[in-house]
Amino acid sequence: MSVIPRKRDISLRGKIIYSVYVRNHTPEGTFAALEGDLDRIKALGTDIVWLMPIHPIGQKNKKGSLGCPYSISDYRAVNPEYGTSEDFAHLVDEIHARGMRCIIDVVYNHTSHDSVLFREHPEFFYRKEDGSFGNRYGDWTDVLDLDYSNRELWDYQIETLTQWARIVDGFRCDVASCVPAEFWERAVEEVAAVNPQAVWLAETVYTGHIQYARECGYPVATDADLYRSFDMEYPYDVQDYFDRYAEGKGKLSEYIALLDYQEHVFPGDYIKIRFLENHDTPRAAHRFPDSAVMRNWLAFVYFQKGTTMLYGGQEWQNREYCTLFDKAVFDRNPKKDISAYLTRLGEIKKCLFPVDADFSAIADDETGVVTATLKTRETCIAGVFCMKGINGMARLDVPDGDYLNEIAGKTVSVKNGVLRTEGEPLIFKVR
């Protein structure tokens, strides 16, 4: 099969994804209950609703009281706790009716121990050296890994994808790096025959995960490998540096320099998703409890080149980690609601940021100030972000003059190449 390199739609850089864990999104934890929240989700500027796994959850060796949604027992069914297949189709119709797209999770590295696939096709599964079934990564005790050396597995998985592609608008692919890149290339091509507009988002993995897999002799794909088929990828190639900074163990400048470096190592039409939190990370409000610091980080996430992603509950600055294994509805405290701020950032992103811009940024470790630009031949957008949330000075390579801060609607001045900050984020158009 001849594979044509994927042509990415860079307009996706201007989009906003909202991630939903159906179980914990509402007290009911159902598709029908989620429908009642779609207008609010849309008002945040959301373009794509990503539903974390919607399939039945395995019970054998499950974690927690309810099990993990990433331990799937049947790829071709919906979790009865969430509703029926008809309920799911109706939810997707309601998402579409509001002008949003819907993508669902694809968890193709593994299944639950009691999955339909394991019962019917044990030959599709990875075996350890002693011949027993298991997984390649020790703490994933509730799942069994699949073995993609069996090409009949490819047929089954792709047939499943084409079934869902008739309903939804694309896929977020869990630990996509652990599934052969060649499989994804074929899958994308065959799904295109059913849904040529399908969106593909790869959860790539941390660099340490890649190193460990290689040392163990396990198959693993790099970000560059997966760009042959995917539209968007996770920013986990640089996530270690963000995590270290957020934990007080690393330098801000190291993380910012790597964001700059991404511009030079990926294809010109590369698309990364940008976020402060997701279901696998600590909550951003836990890491950045100071409200001014949080406002700056959020503004910078929207400013970065790529597709912005919000995780359900982030708009209420939830601090508690949202467990995957038990019922834990996130708190909707109106006193902590920053929806209006997120909506404004979304408006700025869509109206002001060119999707074909070049991104550049630099950080001052002493002051905690990040200065960044988005540039095309015709346009220059500047951003100043105070990651310590305190007053300071920012040096900018822009003409002296007065500029409108699009976030607060107030004028800021650059004199002798210096802008005085008051601890709040600034985004303004230079030309």
Coordinates of all heavy atoms in Angstrom, one line a residue, residues 257-293:
A257 N 12.5 27.6 25.9 CA 13.4 27.4 24.8 C 13.0 26.2 24.0 O 13.1 26.2 22.8 CB 14.8 27.2 25.4
L258 N 12.4 25.2 24.6 CA 12.0 24.0 23.9 C 10.8 24.2 23.1 O 10.6 23.7 22.0 CB 11.8 22.8 24.9 CG 13.1 22.2 25.4 CD1 12.8 21.1 26.4 CD2 13.8 21.5 24.2
L259 N 9.9 25.1 23.6 CA 8.7 25.5 22.7 C 9.2 26.2 21.5 O 8.7 26.0 20.4 CB 7.8 26.4 23.5 CG 7.0 25.9 24.7 CD1 6.2 27.0 25.4 CD2 6.1 24.7 24.3
D260 N 10.2 27.0 21.6 CA 10.9 27.6 20.5 C 11.5 26.6 19.5 O 11.4 26.7 18.3 CB 11.9 28.6 21.0 CG 12.0 29.9 20.3 OD1 10.9 30.4 19.8 OD2 13.1 30.5 20.2
Y261 N 12.1 25.6 20.1 CA 12.8 24.6 19.3 C 11.8 23.7 18.5 O 12.2 23.3 17.4 CB 13.6 23.7 20.3 CG 14.4 22.6 19.6 CD1 15.5 23.0 18.8 CD2 14.2 21.3 19.8 CE1 16.3 22.1 18.2 CE2 15.0 20.3 19.2 CZ 16.1 20.7 18.4 OH 16.9 19.8 17.8
Q262 N 10.6 23.5 19.0 CA 9.6 22.8 18.2 C 9.4 23.4 16.8 O 9.1 22.7 15.9 CB 8.3 22.8 19.0 CG 8.2 21.8 20.2 CD 6.9 21.9 20.9 OE1 6.2 22.9 20.9 NE2 6.6 20.8 21.5
E263 N 9.6 24.7 16.7 CA 9.4 25.3 15.4 C 10.3 24.8 14.4 O 10.1 25.0 13.2 CB 9.6 26.9 15.6 CG 8.4 27.6 16.3 CD 7.3 27.8 15.3 OE1 7.3 28.7 14.5 OE2 6.3 26.9 15.4
H264 N 11.4 24.3 14.8 CA 12.5 23.9 13.9 C 12.7 22.4 13.7 O 13.5 22.0 12.8 CB 13.8 24.5 14.4 CG 13.7 26.0 14.7 ND1 13.5 27.0 13.8 CD2 13.8 26.6 15.9 CE1 13.4 28.1 14.4 NE2 13.6 27.9 15.7
V265 N 12.0 21.6 14.4 CA 12.2 20.1 14.3 C 11.0 19.4 13.8 O 11.1 18.2 13.4 CB 12.6 19.5 15.7 CG1 13.9 20.1 16.2 CG2 11.5 19.7 16.7
F266 N 9.8 20.0 13.6 CA 8.7 19.4 13.1 C 8.3 20.0 11.7 O 8.8 21.0 11.3 CB 7.5 19.6 14.1 CG 7.7 18.8 15.4 CD1 7.7 19.5 16.6 CD2 7.8 17.4 15.4 CE1 7.8 18.8 17.8 CE2 8.0 16.7 16.5 CZ 8.0 17.4 17.7
P267 N 7.4 19.3 11.0 CA 7.0 19.8 9.7 C 6.4 21.2 9.8 O 5.9 21.6 10.8 CB 5.9 18.8 9.2 CG 6.2 17.5 10.0 CD 6.8 18.0 11.3
G268 N 6.5 21.9 8.7 CA 6.0 23.3 8.7 C 4.6 23.4 9.1 O 4.1 24.5 9.6
D269 N 3.8 22.4 8.8 CA 2.4 22.4 9.2 C 2.0 21.7 10.4 O 0.9 21.2 10.6 CB 1.5 21.9 8.0 CG 1.9 20.4 7.7 OD1 2.8 19.9 8.2 OD2 1.1 19.8 6.9
Y270 N 3.0 21.5 11.3 CA 2.8 20.7 12.6 C 1.8 21.4 13.4 O 1.6 22.6 13.4 CB 4.1 20.6 13.3 CG 4.5 21.7 14.2 CD1 4.3 21.7 15.6 CD2 5.1 22.9 13.7 CE1 4.7 22.7 16.4 CE2 5.5 23.9 14.5 CZ 5.3 23.8 15.9 OH 5.6 24.9 16.7
I271 N 1.0 20.6 14.2 CA 0.0 21.1 15.1 C 0.2 20.4 16.4 O 0.1 19.2 16.5 CB -1.4 20.9 14.6 CG1 -1.6 21.5 13.2 CG2 -2.4 21.6 15.5 CD1 -2.9 21.1 12.5
K272 N 0.4 21.1 17.5 CA 0.5 20.6 18.8 C -0.8 21.1 19.6 O -1.2 22.2 19.3 CB 1.7 21.1 19.6 CG 3.0 20.4 19.1 CD 3.1 19.0 19.7 CE 4.5 18.4 19.3 NZ 4.7 17.1 19.9
I273 N -1.3 20.3 20.5 CA -2.3 20.8 21.3 C -1.6 21.4 22.5 O -0.5 21.0 22.9 CB -3.4 19.7 21.8 CG1 -2.8 18.6 22.6 CG2 -4.2 19.2 20.6 CD1 -3.8 17.7 23.3
R274 N -2.2 22.4 23.1 CA -1.6 23.2 24.2 C -2.6 23.2 25.4 O -3.8 23.5 25.2 CB -1.3 24.6 23.8 CG -0.5 24.7 22.5 CD 0.9 24.1 22.6 NE 1.7 24.3 21.4 CZ 3.0 23.9 21.3 NH1 3.6 23.3 22.3 NH2 3.6 24.1 20.2
F275 N -2.1 22.8 26.5 CA -3.0 22.7 27.7 C -2.1 23.0 29.0 O -0.9 22.9 29.0 CB -3.6 21.4 27.8 CG -2.7 20.2 27.7 CD1 -1.9 19.8 28.8 CD2 -2.6 19.4 26.5 CE1 -1.0 18.7 28.7 CE2 -1.8 18.3 26.4 CZ -1.0 18.0 27.5
L276 N -2.9 23.3 30.1 CA -2.2 23.3 31.4 C -2.5 22.1 32.2 O -1.8 21.8 33.1 CB -2.8 24.5 32.2 CG -2.1 25.9 31.9 CD1 -2.7 26.9 32.9 CD2 -0.6 25.8 32.0
E277 N -3.6 21.4 31.8 CA -3.9 20.1 32.5 C -4.7 19.2 31.6 O -5.3 19.6 30.6 CB -4.7 20.4 33.8 CG -6.1 21.1 33.5 CD -6.9 21.4 34.7 OE1 -6.6 22.3 35.4 OE2 -7.9 20.6 35.0
N278 N -4.7 17.9 32.0 CA -5.6 16.9 31.3 C -5.9 15.9 32.4 O -5.5 16.0 33.5 CB -5.0 16.4 30.0 CG -3.7 15.6 30.3 OD1 -3.6 14.7 31.1 ND2 -2.7 16.0 29.5
H279 N -6.5 14.8 32.0 CA -6.9 13.8 33.0 C -5.8 13.0 33.6 O -6.0 12.3 34.6 CB -8.0 12.8 32.3 CG -7.4 12.0 31.3 ND1 -7.4 12.3 29.9 CD2 -6.8 10.8 31.3 CE1 -6.9 11.4 29.2 NE2 -6.5 10.4 30.0
D280 N -4.6 13.1 33.0 CA -3.4 12.4 33.5 C -2.5 13.3 34.4 O -1.5 12.8 34.9 CB -2.6 11.8 32.4 CG -3.3 10.6 31.8 OD1 -3.9 9.8 32.5 OD2 -3.2 10.4 30.5
T281 N -2.8 14.6 34.4 CA -1.8 15.5 35.1 C -2.5 16.1 36.4 O -3.7 16.0 36.5 CB -1.5 16.7 34.2 OG1 -2.6 17.5 34.0 CG2 -0.9 16.2 32.8
P282 N -1.7 16.7 37.2 CA -2.3 17.5 38.3 C -3.1 18.6 37.8 O -2.9 19.1 36.7 CB -1.1 18.0 39.1 CG 0.1 17.1 38.7 CD -0.2 16.6 37.3
R283 N -4.1 19.0 38.5 CA -4.9 20.2 38.1 C -4.0 21.4 38.1 O -3.2 21.6 39.0 CB -6.1 20.4 39.1 CG -7.2 19.4 39.0 CD -8.0 19.7 37.7 NE -9.3 18.9 37.7 CZ -10.2 19.1 36.8 NH1 -10.0 19.9 35.8 NH2 -11.4 18.4 36.9
A284 N -4.3 22.3 37.1 CA -3.5 23.5 37.0 C -3.7 24.4 38.2 O -2.7 25.0 38.7 CB -3.9 24.3 35.7
A285 N -4.9 24.5 38.8 CA -5.1 25.3 40.0 C -4.4 24.8 41.2 O -4.2 25.5 42.1 CB -6.6 25.4 40.2
H286 N -4.1 23.5 41.2 CA -3.2 23.0 42.3 C -1.8 23.4 42.1 O -1.1 23.8 43.1 CB -3.3 21.4 42.2 CG -2.4 20.7 43.2 ND1 -2.6 20.7 44.5 CD2 -1.2 20.1 42.9 CE1 -1.6 20.1 45.1 NE2 -0.7 19.7 44.1
R287 N -1.3 23.4 40.9 CA 0.0 23.8 40.6 C 0.2 25.3 40.7 O 1.3 25.8 41.1 CB 0.4 23.3 39.2 CG 0.7 21.8 39.1 CD 1.1 21.4 37.7 NE 2.0 20.2 37.7 CZ 2.3 19.5 36.6 NH1 1.8 19.9 35.4 NH2 3.1 18.5 36.7
F288 N -0.8 26.1 40.3 CA -0.7 27.5 40.3 C -1.8 28.1 41.0 O -2.8 28.7 40.5 CB -0.7 28.0 38.8 CG 0.4 27.4 37.9 CD1 0.0 26.6 36.8 CD2 1.7 27.6 38.2 CE1 1.0 26.0 36.0 CE2 2.7 27.0 37.4 CZ 2.3 26.2 36.3
P289 N -1.8 28.0 42.4 CA -2.9 28.5 43.2 C -3.1 30.0 43.2 O -4.2 30.5 43.4 CB -2.6 28.0 44.6 CG -1.1 27.8 44.6 CD -0.8 27.4 43.2
D290 N -2.0 30.8 42.9 CA -2.1 32.2 42.8 C -2.9 32.6 41.5 O -2.6 32.2 40.4 CB -0.7 32.9 42.7 CG -0.8 34.4 42.7 OD1 -0.9 34.9 41.6 OD2 -0.7 35.0 43.8
S291 N -4.0 33.4 41.7 CA -4.9 33.7 40.6 C -4.2 34.5 39.5 O -4.5 34.3 38.3 CB -6.1 34.5 41.1 OG -5.7 35.7 41.8
A292 N -3.3 35.4 39.8 CA -2.6 36.2 38.8 C -1.6 35.3 38.0 O -1.5 35.4 36.8 CB -1.8 37.3 39.5
V293 N -0.9 34.4 38.7 CA -0.1 33.4 38.0 C -0.9 32.6 37.1 O -0.5 32.3 35.9 CB 0.7 32.6 39.0 CG1 1.4 31.4 38.3 CG2 1.6 33.4 39.8

